[in-house]
Amino acid sequence: MILTESKSKLKIKSLKLKNFRNYDLLNLNFDEEANIFYGDNAQGKTNILEAAYFSGTTKSHRGAKDKELIRFGNDESHIETVVEKKGISYQIDLHIKKNAPKGIAINKLPIRKASELFGIINFVFFSPEDLNIIKNGPAERRRFIDLELSQLDKIYLSNLTNYNRIVNQRNHLLKDINTENKKIITDTLEIWEMQLVQYGDKLIDRRKKFVEDMNRIISSVHKKLTGNKEEIQIIYEPSNGNFTLDQAIKKNRERDLRIKSTSVGPHRDDICIMSGDLDIRKFGSQGQQRTAALSLKLAEIELVKRTIHDTPILLLDDVLSELDKHRQNYLLDSINDIQTLITCTGVEDFVNHRFSINKVFHVQNGQVAKEN
Ligand SMILES: Nc1ncnc2c1ncn2[C@@H]1O[C@H](COP(=O)(O)OP(=O)(O)O)[C@@H](O)[C@H]1O
Ligand SMILES: [Mg+2]
């Protein structure tokens, strides 16, 4: 592993919000290690992490629409962050508008495509929902891979955007077909299918490589978490099974015409999490599923480190209270070289831990007060 000097590691230095969620105005400066935001429910803790994540990815981690981020009763919201990467500062400005596309600027120069932001910041978001990723359906597991690869690999992001567009087009055609236009629509379908396979194969290859890289990391993490008791392995499960994507698309066309939707392709794939011979998704205990989910998240952090040769910024949203002491300590130990923004309801969790809290903020009804 390549460790960068803490002086030059990736960090978010400040965050300014205007009319974002329940914040009228907010101006925060962060420590380069641990930053704790505590307060009661519904005060605005997650909103801070959401704003930070949005400034790096132009997406809400909870899948919210841009409009929903604008403070009720306003037409525009502004997020300004200053980040430092390899010793260089970047100011990122995002203007979210009610009735127009968002505006993005890097160092005050407007950029046209969100993907130009790519590669400046890497965030890993960890929320209590992530602890259910093994238990929940395949959509969440795909989202996990897609969100991470979209941050790590610009080509993946572009292939994914194209692929999703093509699946949508194909589904529209499947819905439009009737006896009169059948011939012409079937010909058009074929053209879309060629492209679907072209992009789909690329996504599958990249995801398989991601799974391979994760496997190289996750087993040692999982062994440590389970006191050497349990193994773990991730297996990519394509919806096309043993067929090539091309074969499977053709084979399923009649069925797709009937159900008016595309039934195979990366948008239907899954990952299987095995412990020895046990499929943890289906047969793991709740505890096993949550431990595996924690391993997955920790392996993700390590994979990002190895890929970007820097440390990502960790956004830890209310996760500590979900874990027992042993897992809490393990998590806190594993992230002590990373800049972290942590939310929690109280600071008691940290009292007995050698993890040093550098900055503590109290969040109350859209106001943030610094406590040390
Ligand atoms: N667009 C919005 N405008 C104003 N307030 C909002 C908006 N979206 C969410 N909120 C408010 O933000 C609060 C929830 O913030 P959140 O950060 O999720 O809380 P928590 O502190 O529990 O993490 C709620 O009070 C909610 O009403
Ligand atoms: Mg919250």
Side-chain angles (χ1 to χ4, degrees), residues 40-47 62 128 317-318 343:
D40 293 341
N41 278 330
Q43 301 304 307
K45 302 182 298 295
T46 302
N47 294 344
R62 37 187 165 189
D317 192 20
D318 252 329
T343 71

Side-chain angles (χ1 to χ4, degrees), residues 32-89:
E32 65 176 73
E33 281 158 20
N35 300 270
I36 313 277
F37 296 87
Y38 80 96
D40 293 341
N41 278 330
Q43 301 304 307
K45 302 182 298 295
T46 302
N47 294 344
I48 293 172
L49 306 195
E50 184 178 41
Y53 188 84
F54 194 88
S55 71
T57 61
T58 73
K59 287 191 191 79
S60 154
H61 71 285
R62 37 187 165 189
K65 297 204 182 78
D66 285 5
K67 269 196 279 205
E68 295 163 15
L69 307 176
I70 303 172
R71 189 163 186 251
F72 301 145
N74 292 274
D75 296 328
E76 193 172 328
S77 165
H78 179 205
I79 308 174
E80 179 196 304
T81 53
V82 175
V83 301
E84 193 182 302
K85 188 187 173 75
K86 309 229 187 283
I88 300 170
S89 275

Side-chain angles (χ1 to χ4, degrees), residues 171-216:
N171 289 344
H172 273 297
L173 282 177
L174 292 169
K175 288 188 178 83
D176 279 351
I177 210 159
N178 56 42
T179 36
E180 275 152 49
N181 65 14
K182 187 158 188 182
K183 169 78 180 78
I184 181 152
I185 292 234
T186 311
D187 289 348
T188 321
L189 267 182
E190 264 173 35
I191 298 168
W192 287 112
E193 285 166 8
M194 267 167 52
Q195 294 196 43
L196 186 148
V197 170
Q198 186 198 330
Y199 287 110
D201 277 338
K202 287 183 182 151
L203 295 184
I204 296 171
D205 283 350
R206 186 64 187 86
R207 287 182 186 172
K208 283 185 173 163
K209 160 105 182 20
F210 176 79
V211 165
E212 237 173 73
D213 294 341
M214 286 285 281
N215 274 324
R216 251 180 247 127

Side-chain angles (χ1 to χ4, degrees), residues 11-44:
K11 52 192 168 261
I12 173 166
K13 301 188 77 166
S14 63
L15 172 74
K16 284 187 192 163
L17 299 180
K18 189 175 175 200
N19 292 331
F20 182 91
R21 293 280 198 190
N22 65 337
Y23 290 97
D24 162 15
L25 284 173
L26 179 69
N27 193 347
L28 291 175
N29 290 307
F30 300 107
D31 187 84
E32 65 176 73
E33 281 158 20
N35 300 270
I36 313 277
F37 296 87
Y38 80 96
D40 293 341
N41 278 330
Q43 301 304 307

Side-chain angles (χ1 to χ4, degrees), residues 78-279:
H78 179 205
I79 308 174
E80 179 196 304
T81 53
V82 175
V83 301
E84 193 182 302
K85 188 187 173 75
K86 309 229 187 283
I88 300 170
S89 275
Y90 298 87
Q91 179 182 323
I92 300 170
D93 283 279
L94 280 133
H95 289 272
I96 309 166
K97 295 162 192 169
K98 207 168 191 173
N99 299 312
K102 61 186 153 247
I104 311 170
I106 303 173
N107 293 335
K108 307 223 162 91
L109 293 174
I111 57 169
R112 256 176 12 93
K113 283 180 140 184
S115 60
E116 288 176 51
L117 247 192
F118 184 93
I120 298 183
I121 325 183
N122 283 80
F123 284 112
V124 172
F125 206 110
F126 192 175
S127 68
E129 292 85 71
D130 291 310
L131 288 169
N132 295 326
I133 192 175
I134 315 278
K135 188 176 87 180
N136 287 354
E140 267 105 318
R141 290 184 286 274
R142 283 194 297 271
R143 196 173 131 80
F144 166 72
I145 299 185
D146 284 343
L147 282 181
E148 191 45 71
L149 279 179
S150 295
Q151 282 195 71
L152 287 180
D153 186 338
K154 198 172 192 155
I155 298 170
Y156 183 84
L157 177 59
S158 142
N159 288 336
L160 182 66
T161 312
N162 283 318
Y163 177 82
N164 287 336
R165 186 175 46 84
I166 293 161
V167 171
N168 272 333
Q169 295 281 4
R170 184 175 187 266
N171 289 344
H172 273 297
L173 282 177
L174 292 169
K175 288 188 178 83
D176 279 351
I177 210 159
N178 56 42
T179 36
E180 275 152 49
N181 65 14
K182 187 158 188 182
K183 169 78 180 78
I184 181 152
I185 292 234
T186 311
D187 289 348
T188 321
L189 267 182
E190 264 173 35
I191 298 168
W192 287 112
E193 285 166 8
M194 267 167 52
Q195 294 196 43
L196 186 148
V197 170
Q198 186 198 330
Y199 287 110
D201 277 338
K202 287 183 182 151
L203 295 184
I204 296 171
D205 283 350
R206 186 64 187 86
R207 287 182 186 172
K208 283 185 173 163
K209 160 105 182 20
F210 176 79
V211 165
E212 237 173 73
D213 294 341
M214 286 285 281
N215 274 324
R216 251 180 247 127
I217 299 166
I218 199 169
S219 42
S220 67
V221 172
H222 198 64
K223 280 207 175 110
K224 282 185 208 133
L225 260 177
T226 59
N228 256 330
K229 284 198 201 88
E230 283 187 36
E231 310 262 318
I232 191 167
Q233 202 199 356
I234 315 167
I235 298 164
Y236 194 73
E237 271 187 355
S239 51
N240 44 300
N242 292 327
F243 294 96
T244 65
L245 184 56
D246 188 37
Q247 289 167 335
I249 285 281
K250 293 201 171 89
K251 202 168 128 317
N252 279 284
R253 190 189 285 160
E254 282 307 313
R255 174 170 164 224
D256 287 358
L257 281 165
R258 256 193 340 271
I259 62 170
K260 300 189 187 304
S261 135
T262 303
S263 54
V264 288
H267 65 293
R268 289 292 171 88
D269 293 356
D270 198 357
I271 48 172
C272 171
I273 320 288
M274 299 291 289
S275 179
D277 293 334
L278 188 82
D279 180 344

